[in-house]
C-alpha cells in the first residue's frame, strides 16, 4: 500500500524546493542550477503519478515496480533536502540572523566551497537517478495534476437474494429496519432510511434479509435493488432502477438520454408504493447528484421507502433527514456460531477442546466482523489439525486472507479512497503494533508523518 503515497511525496519535494529556505540556499551555496534541474525533473514525473497510482490499483505489475523504485528515490531526495536545509538553519540560528548573507559570513570561504560542491554533487546524483527511472518507463501514462477524490476500481456487484438460514445475529436489526419501512411518513411520499457500518459488517446482508421478508413483499407494490458502489452516476443508477423494476421494459436503455430515462422511470414508479434498495453508496462529495436522483424518485405513492446502505456516516446525512441505523459487530457467541457454521459445515463444535480454544483465539482477531469470520472460516474448513490452527492463530489478518474474494479487497477499497496524504499517514500508523496505545502529542509532531518511518 505504500506505493500510493508517491504523488504526495512529489508535492512535498516541490514545495520544499520552492520555499524561502531553498531560495536562500541557492544564493548562499551556488547550487541554483542543480536545485532547479531537480525541481523540473520532479515536476515532470509528478504529472503522470496520479495515472500511475491508478494503474497500480488495477494491478499493473510493471507500474507497481516502477512506483516502488520511484518512491525510494523520492525518499532519498527528501532526506537529502531535509538534511541540507536543517544544516543551514542550524548555522543561521547560531549566527542569530536568518539572511543568506550572514550564512555566507559564518562559513569560511574554503568550507563553503567544499560544502557547496558536496551538496551539488549529491543533488545531481539524485536528479540523474530520478531521470533514469523516468526514462525506464516502458508503459504509457497520462498527465494529470489534479488528484481525484475517489479512485474508481471495479467492485463486486451485489444482489437481493440471501439464504436466511445462513445469516446469524441480525434478528434485532432486521426487526428494527422492517418497522421503519412499514411506518407511514406524512411529511413526504418517499422517505430514506440509511444503514451505516464498516466494510464487511453485514449491511448488504441485512438489506437482503429485509428485502425478502414476507411483510415487506406484501406491503410494497414494487421492490427494486440497485448496487451503486463508488460510481454515483445518476443516469446509470436510473437505468439500473428501471431494469430492476421491469427487466423487459426497454431493450436499449444504454442508448437513451436523461430525458427519456426519467420518463421511463416515472412510468415504472408513479403512483406505486415502492421499496428501493441503493446498496453500497460511497459518494459523499457530490450531494447535488443525490438531490437530482431523489427528485426523480419522489412520485411514488405515500409510504414508499428508499433503503441506503453505506459505510460513510456523511452519506447517511446527505441522503436522509432521519437518524441512521448503525450496524454493530457480532457478539462473541454469534461470532462463534458463524465461525462454526463456515469452518465445520454443519455448525457443530469440534470435540477437541484444544481446537476450540485455538479457534476462539483466532476468532478474536475478527472483532465481530462477519466478512472476516467467514473468510477465515473458509480457509480453515479443510484444515482440522491443531498445528494448522496454531499457525493461523499466529498470523496477521492481512496474511490470513490474501484471496481476491476475501477481506483484503474490502479493506483495500477503503484505502484506495483515501487522498494521498492520508495514505501516507496510514502507512505510518501501520508501523505500530496491534493494540498499541499512544498519546496524540507523541504520535504526530509539527511536521506530521516523518519519512524515516515510512521508508520501511
Amino acid at each position: 500500500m505504500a506505493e500510493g503515497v508517491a504523488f504526495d511525496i512529489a508535492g512535498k519535494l516541490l514545495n520544499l524546493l520552492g520555499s524561502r529556505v531553498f531560495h536562500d540556499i541557492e544564493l548562499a551555496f551556488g547550487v541554483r542550477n542543480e536545485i532547479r534541474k531537480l525541481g523540473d525533473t520532479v515536476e515532470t514525473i509528478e504529472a503522470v503519478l496520479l495515472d500511475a497510482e491508478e494503474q497500480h490499483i488495477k494491478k499493473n505489475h510493471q507500474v507497481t515496480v516502477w512506483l516502488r523504485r520511484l518512491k525510494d528515490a523520492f525518499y532519498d531526495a527528501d532526506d537529502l533536502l531535509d538534511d541540507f536545509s536543517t544544516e543551514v538553519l542550524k548555522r543561521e540560528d547560531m549566527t542569530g540572523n536568518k539572511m543568506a548573507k550572514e550564512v555566507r559570513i559564518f562559513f569560511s570561504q574554503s568550507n563553503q566551497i567544499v560544502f557547496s560542491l558536496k551538496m551539488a554533487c549529491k543533488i545531481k546524483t539524485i536528479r540523474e537517478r530520478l531521470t533514469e527511472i523516468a526514462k525506464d518507463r516502458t508503459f504509457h501514462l497520462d498527465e494529470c495534476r489534479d488528484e481525484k477524490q475517489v479512485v474508481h476500481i471495479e467492485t463486486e456487484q451485489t444482489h437481493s437474494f440471501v439464504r436466511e438460514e445462513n445469516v446469524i445475529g441480525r434478528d434485532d436489526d432486521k426487526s428494527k429496519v422492517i418497522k421503519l419501512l412499514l411506518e407511514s411518513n406524512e411529511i413526504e411520499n418517499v422517505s430514506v432510511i440509511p444503514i451505516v457500518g464498516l466494510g464487511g459488517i453485514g449491511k448488504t446482508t441485512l438489506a437482503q434479509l429485509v428485502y425478502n421478508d414476507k411483510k415487506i413483499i406484501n406491503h410494497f407494490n414494487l421492490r427494486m435493488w440497485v448496487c451503486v458502489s463508488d460510481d454515483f452516476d445518476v443516469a446509470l443508477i436510473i437505468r439500473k432502477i428501471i431494469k430492476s423494476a421491469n427487466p423487459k421494459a426497454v431493450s436499449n436503455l444504454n442508448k437513451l438520454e436523461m430525458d427519456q430515462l426519467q420518463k421511463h422511470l416515472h412510468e415504472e414508479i408513479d403512483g406505486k408504493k415502492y421499496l428501493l434498495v441503493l446498496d453500497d453508496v460511497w459518494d459523499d462529495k457530490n450531494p447535488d447528484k443525490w438531490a437530482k436522483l431523489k427528485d426523480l424518485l419522489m412520485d411514488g405513492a405515500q409510504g414508499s421507502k428508499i433503503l441506503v446502505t453505506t459505510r460513510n456516516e456523511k452519506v447517511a446525512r446527505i441522503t436522509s433527514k432521519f437518524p441512521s441505523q448503525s450496524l454493530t459487530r457480532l457478539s462473541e457467541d454469534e461470532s462463534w456460531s458463524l465461525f462454526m457454521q463456515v469452518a465445520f459445515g454443519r455448525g457443530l463444535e469440534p470435540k477437541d477442546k484444544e481446537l476450540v480454544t485455538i479457534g476462539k483465539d483466532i476468532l478474536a482477531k475478527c472483532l465481530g466482523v462477519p466478512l472476516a469470520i467467514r473468510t477465515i472460516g473458509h480457509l480453515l474448513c479443510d484444515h482440522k489439525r491443531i498445528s494448522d490452527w496454531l499457525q493461523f492463530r499466529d498470523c496477521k489478518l492481512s496474511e490470513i486472507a490474501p484471496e481476491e474474494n476475501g477481506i483484503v479487497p474490502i479493506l483495500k477499497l477503503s484505502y484506495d479512497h483515501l487522498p494521498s496524504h492520508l495514505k501516507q499517514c496510514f502507512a505510518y500508523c501501520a508501523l505500530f503494533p496491534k493494540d498499541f496505545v499512544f498519546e496524540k502529542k507523541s504520535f504526530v509532531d509539527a511536521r506530521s508523518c516523518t519519512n524515516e518511518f515510512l521508508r520501511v
Side-chain angles (χ1 to χ4, degrees), residues 261-430:
L261 287 173
Q262 62 89 15
K263 289 178 182 178
H264 282 290
L265 176 63
H266 286 155
E267 288 176 4
E268 299 298 336
I269 68 172
D270 277 11
K272 297 178 183 178
K273 184 163 62 176
Y274 69 79
L275 169 65
L276 169 62
V277 175
L278 295 177
D279 188 40
D280 198 23
V281 179
W282 275 89
D283 193 345
D284 63 355
K285 307 298 181 185
N286 301 288
D288 288 345
K289 288 185 177 181
W290 166 252
K292 290 177 182 177
L293 176 63
K294 189 177 179 182
D295 282 346
L296 296 174
L297 295 170
M298 294 304 290
D299 290 331
Q302 186 78 33
S304 294
K305 296 292 197 310
I306 301 174
L307 191 62
V308 173
T309 72
T310 179
R311 65 186 70 184
N312 190 333
E313 184 64 43
K314 187 176 178 181
V315 169
R317 292 195 299 270
I318 290 172
T319 57
S320 178
K321 301 175 183 177
F322 299 97
S324 60
Q325 303 302 302
S326 297
L327 208 52
T328 58
R329 305 171 192 269
L330 298 181
S331 67
E332 288 185 16
D333 289 341
E334 291 167 344
S335 297
W336 182 247
S337 296
L338 178 58
F339 183 68
M340 287 297 95
Q341 180 189 85
V342 179
F344 289 92
R346 298 179 181 178
L348 301 175
E349 186 172 294
K351 296 180 180 180
D352 192 325
K353 298 302 181 183
E354 186 177 359
L355 201 62
V356 172
T357 300
I358 299 169
K360 290 187 176 180
D361 288 343
I362 293 171
L363 197 61
K365 292 188 175 185
C366 299
L367 301 175
V369 179
L371 178 58
I373 296 169
R374 288 184 178 278
T375 301
I376 294 175
H378 283 300
L379 289 170
L380 287 172
C381 66
D382 293 329
H383 302 278
K384 301 299 187 292
R385 294 182 304 178
I386 290 177
S387 59
D388 293 332
W389 283 44
L390 282 171
Q391 183 179 4
F392 269 91
R393 187 184 65 182
D394 298 330
C395 291
K396 296 177 181 178
L397 185 60
S398 60
E399 296 169 345
I400 290 173
E403 279 76 15
E404 287 302 308
N405 59 349
I407 193 171
V408 168
I410 303 298
L411 301 178
K412 183 65 165 60
L413 179 59
S414 297
Y415 172 82
D416 289 333
H417 279 70
L418 293 175
S420 58
H421 67 279
L422 290 184
K423 290 178 183 177
Q424 191 171 8
C425 287
F426 182 93
Y428 176 79
C429 294

Side-chain angles (χ1 to χ4, degrees), residues 181 216-223 273-275 303 305:
L181 291 176
I216 296 300
I217 294 173
N218 294 331
H219 183 75
F220 292 98
N221 306 130
L222 174 66
R223 294 176 303 135
K273 184 163 62 176
Y274 69 79
L275 169 65
K305 296 292 197 310

